[in-house]
Amino acid sequence: GENVEQHPSTLSVQEGDSAVIKCTYSDSASNYFPWYKQELGKRPQLIIDIRSNVGEKKDQRIAVTLNKTAKHFSLHITETQPEDSAVYFCAASIRGNTPLVFGKGTRLSVIA
Amino acid sequence: NAGVTQTPKFRILKIGQSMTLQCTQDMNHNYMYWYRQDPGMGLKLIYYSVGAGITDKGEVPNGYNVSRSTTEDFPLRLELAAPSQTSVYFCASSYSIRTSGGRSSYEQYFGPGTRLTVT
């Protein structure tokens, strides 16, 4: 089955700097790649997603890139703010008919 | 829309007791899921359902049972609770449609979670 690896497990950045989180997946049939943000004590919430027919997607300070050949995708957060501090999860879905497989998460701390 | 709702929010069980975690969604999603999240850890899939009357095991199904009699409801049953089942349980739902290229998945919405302690 699909396996999703996520790195790093923890990341600290200064406010205003950029943060990058990387994920790799194993099954080339995966076609949907969402990113979730989970604040302490809250539910995971989708922040951005990308499909296999697109290489990059942006939404204000957040962007996701996908390299299908290398089977990896990355989350980029620019101009980080303290409210970006949270745990971020990447995920992948095979052909849209199996449940999402999640990475183990990255704890991002933005230091003011 | 209320989205995905879960009850109860908190529960303390004694070892060997049983309980049902309730999950309801009002978005007419065909897919529903149950995850558990241990402290500081990621999400592990317990069971999922692709539609009413259909359920399937996830990564960690032992000690749990589910049913899906309606599109809206997906209860999770714990029989003979054990300390290892102490966790936060999230229900989620999503929509998946069949396209000419296969199936397409859409955003997975999570409920607020149930914090369960077994002592």
Side-chain angles (χ1 to χ4, degrees), chain A residues 2 8 12 22 30-31 33 37 42 46 49-52 58 69 76 78 81 85-86 88-89 93 104 106 108-109 112:
Chain A
E2 175 66 285
S12 291
K22 299 181 179 181
S30 290
N31 64 0
F33 307 92
K37 175 183 181 182
K42 302 286 184 64
L46 181 76
D49 56 11
I50 193 168
R51 298 188 184 278
S52 57
K58 285 184 180 179
T69 303
H76 304 253
T78 59
Q81 301 167 2
S85 296
Y88 292 80
F89 293 97
S93 173
K104 294 189 185 303
T106 296
L108 173 65
S109 299

Side-chain angles (χ1 to χ4, degrees), chain B residues 43-82:
Chain B
L43 296 154
K44 294 185 178 180
L45 182 67
I46 305 171
Y47 271 96
Y48 68 102
S49 168
V50 302
I54 306 169
T55 62
D56 212 341
K57 295 178 180 178
E59 181 185 358
V60 289
N62 290 346
Y64 307 94
N65 276 301
V66 293
S67 60
R68 183 100 181 268
S69 57
T70 67
T71 299
E72 296 79 19
D73 300 306
F74 191 41
L76 177 71
R77 178 83 178 161
L78 278 72
E79 304 281 2
L80 297 175

Side-chain angles (χ1 to χ4, degrees), chain B residues 10-14 82-83 85-87 89 115-119:
Chain B
F10 305 94
R11 183 73 186 266
I12 299 174
L13 278 182
K14 293 190 185 303
Q85 293 179 305
T86 294
S87 190
Y89 291 83
R115 187 175 297 275
L116 176 68
T117 301
V118 182
T119 61

